[in-house]
Amino acid sequence: MNAPPFLLDKVLRATVGVHSHIPSTHVSTAIGLGTDRRGTGTIVSPDGLILTVHYLLLGAKNVIVTMPGGDQLEAKIVGKDYSTGIGLLKIDRTKLASVEVVSSEKCVVGQEAFTVSSMGGEKRCADCGIITYLGPFDAVWEFVLDKCVSVTASSLSIGMSGGPICNLQAQVVGISYLNFADLSRAILGIPGESFHSVRDELVKHGRRTTAAPRAWLGVLSYTLRDHVVIAGVMPGGPGEKAGLQQGDLVISIDDTDVNDRRVLYDALANHRPGENVNLKVLRNNRVYQLDIPPIRAEDYFA
């Protein structure tokens, strides 16, 4: 990595371990997130504001942060936002080492970058790579980013969630959201500008108040040969309640043909919670029309 060692040390001193405890009864445990979640956070202000990813905090009753020196502190959940994937914590400390979060706007494919993650306790791991992709991303669980920051990584996959993706000036340009190290040796990150877009609202209200609420069906889906297939439905979610089933092939949404998962998500973005969404699906060689009243994902995971 073509950067002075003191820059890496700067980020290491601002990187913390995040350990969340979630009751087994919380709905997020049924989708594979579990009750014991461990990841990474980045101190982004000297007064103890910590940036991480929202899914580490869903349903958490208490969150313990491990400082670089090994001290363990209980953290307060400041806010979380499903649409960006951002989560914020706060610890009762001042004059802390912190790093700056900047927009990924100036990043380019092929640019060197490095990541830092918690290995549990006071152990940290750093890895260097290059940015391989800057562009839109959509996930199986109704999650969309207009832009993500993807960087190469080693096969190490422990503790990456929520860790900083940094440029060679030790500025955070992204937050590790998904780690595909076992598959493609890549980390997918939330861009730094997403943090800037929600920070003030999350600090003040714990959630976004100015953005229009997004319609959410509670489905898992994938694209297969120009068709979108329902891979699963969230227990008790709008899709399941309306009769949507695993294996259903989505033909259309509101009379718009669906040949890609992003088409489905973009059509959902035109709805608000409570406004019926009409899905036409194929199941066992029979076509079904389903009217589904979507809700906010935040309400489901509250």
Side-chain angles (χ1 to χ4, degrees):
M1 185 176 72
N2 297 316
F6 78 86
L7 291 179
L8 174 58
D9 182 65
K10 177 182 179 180
V11 178
L12 287 171
R13 288 187 287 112
T15 304
V16 302
V18 177
H19 187 187
S20 301
H21 301 273
I22 292 85
S24 59
T25 54
H26 192 263
V27 292
S28 65
T29 64
I31 58 173
L33 291 176
T35 60
D36 190 74
R37 300 176 199 163
R38 298 173 188 264
T40 304
T42 307
I43 302 173
V44 292
S45 68
D47 62 351
L49 188 66
I50 296 171
L51 172 62
T52 187
V53 286
H54 82 295
Y55 61 80
L56 287 178
L57 312 180
L58 290 178
K61 288 299 182 183
N62 67 301
V63 180
I64 301 298
V65 164
T66 303
M67 304 297 287
D71 290 347
Q72 292 189 324
L73 305 171
E74 186 162 359
K76 173 187 175 183
I77 298 177
V78 172
K80 47 188 182 290
D81 178 52
Y82 189 90
S83 63
T84 59
I86 295 292
L88 291 180
L89 296 167
K90 185 76 164 55
I91 54 175
D92 189 17
R93 286 282 179 94
T94 58
K95 299 181 180 179
L96 295 170
S98 63
V99 290
E100 180 186 13
V101 182
V102 299
S103 170
S104 66
E105 180 182 357
K106 294 183 179 179
C107 293
V108 295
V109 171
Q111 174 182 331
E112 286 187 284
F114 68 93
T115 59
V116 177
S117 60
S118 166
M119 299 288 289
E122 57 188 292
K123 296 179 181 178
R124 302 289 181 267
C125 174
D127 196 7
C128 59
I130 61 171
I131 295 175
T132 57
Y133 176 70
L134 296 161
F137 169 79
D138 58 85
V140 65
W141 56 90
E142 283 185 75
F143 179 73
V144 175
L145 290 174
D146 291 330
K147 182 182 180 183
C148 70
V149 180
S150 186
V151 297
T152 56
S154 69
S155 59
L156 187 66
S157 61
I158 300 173
M160 288 288 187
S161 301
I165 301 171
C166 299
N167 60 21
L168 299 192
Q169 289 73 50
Q171 298 168 316
V172 179
V173 296
I175 305 97
S176 298
Y177 185 76
L178 292 175
N179 184 5
F180 298 111
D182 294 335
L183 299 175
S184 59
R185 295 196 173 185
I187 294 172
L188 182 138
I190 303 164
E193 56 266 33
S194 291
F195 165 67
H196 291 298
S197 71
V198 302
R199 171 180 173 152
D200 290 346
E201 287 185 280
L202 294 189
V203 169
K204 187 174 182 179
H205 305 290
R207 59 184 178 85
R208 299 187 77 180
T209 58
T210 59
R214 187 182 178 91
W216 183 82
L217 299 180
V219 300
L220 308 174
S221 65
Y222 61 91
T223 303
L224 177 66
R225 298 175 184 173
D226 295 326
H227 296 291
V228 173
V229 180
I230 300 300
V233 290
M234 300 290 192
E240 184 191 58
K241 289 180 178 179
L244 203 58
Q245 296 181 13
Q246 182 181 13
D248 285 350
L249 187 150
V250 181
I251 299 172
S252 66
I253 176 170
D254 301 327
D255 296 323
T256 298
D257 292 342
V258 175
N259 57 10
D260 183 83
R261 184 169 62 198
R262 188 59 189 260
V263 174
L264 175 65
Y265 291 169
D266 288 345
L268 277 175
N270 293 326
H271 286 268
R272 297 293 171 259
E275 297 176 357
N276 270 14
V277 173
N278 180 265
L279 285 190
K280 184 185 291 185
V281 301
L282 180 66
R283 180 190 308 156
N284 297 327
N285 297 318
R286 183 178 173 184
V287 175
Y288 293 84
Q289 292 270 7
L290 300 176
D291 285 321
I292 309 175
I295 62 174
R296 295 170 70 250
E298 289 85 351
D299 294 334
Y300 179 82
F301 289 110

